Amino acid sequence: MTDHPVGPVLRMCDEVESVIAAIRDDNPDIDIDVVDRGSYVRVQGPGKVRVTEESLQRHLGPSFELRSLESMLSSFAGRIHTSSDEISWEWATKRTGAPA
């Protein structure tokens, strides 16, 4: 694992394995590391990790909405970016557009 792992920290729940499978589907070219801490699971990859609503629906059913993932998040590593169909976590040393 790189010095800059990023990704979600998920509360332990019935859907955790399906969310991890969706994250792996959306990041086929990187090694996704899963650290089980009992009450939560840290899911991380080097530099940038993403998950799409399409993958989540494939694993959790067509009625699953991306915003439902927020209730499973207890924390995350990296800078989070959200859109209507994707959430991503990315390593960044400074804010985009921030003064140097």
Side-chain angles (χ1 to χ4, degrees):
M1 188 62 53
T2 144
D3 291 341
H4 305 296
V6 297
V9 177
L10 304 168
R11 287 183 180 85
M12 192 54 76
C13 62
D14 293 339
E15 296 88 0
V16 147
E17 291 301 321
S18 296
V19 172
I20 293 168
I23 291 170
R24 286 191 164 129
D25 282 358
D26 286 329
N27 299 277
D29 297 331
I30 64 172
D31 183 30
I32 298 296
D33 188 31
V34 178
V35 181
D36 185 342
R37 299 287 190 203
S39 61
Y40 68 91
V41 174
R42 182 175 294 278
V43 184
Q44 57 193 18
K48 183 174 182 178
V49 171
R50 65 189 281 264
V51 67
T52 62
E53 186 172 66
E54 180 181 354
S55 291
L56 289 165
Q57 288 177 344
R58 195 168 42 252
H59 289 278
L60 291 159
S63 64
F64 188 87
E65 295 181 355
L66 187 62
R67 66 181 179 205
S68 300
L69 186 61
E70 292 176 16
S71 67
M72 296 179 199
L73 286 174
S74 61
S75 186
F76 57 88
R79 181 158 296 137
I80 191 169
H81 301 276
T82 60
S83 70
S84 61
D85 62 352
E86 178 179 308
I87 297 176
S88 64
W89 298 268
E90 186 173 4
W91 175 254
T93 57
K94 67 176 186 173
R95 289 185 157 204
T96 305

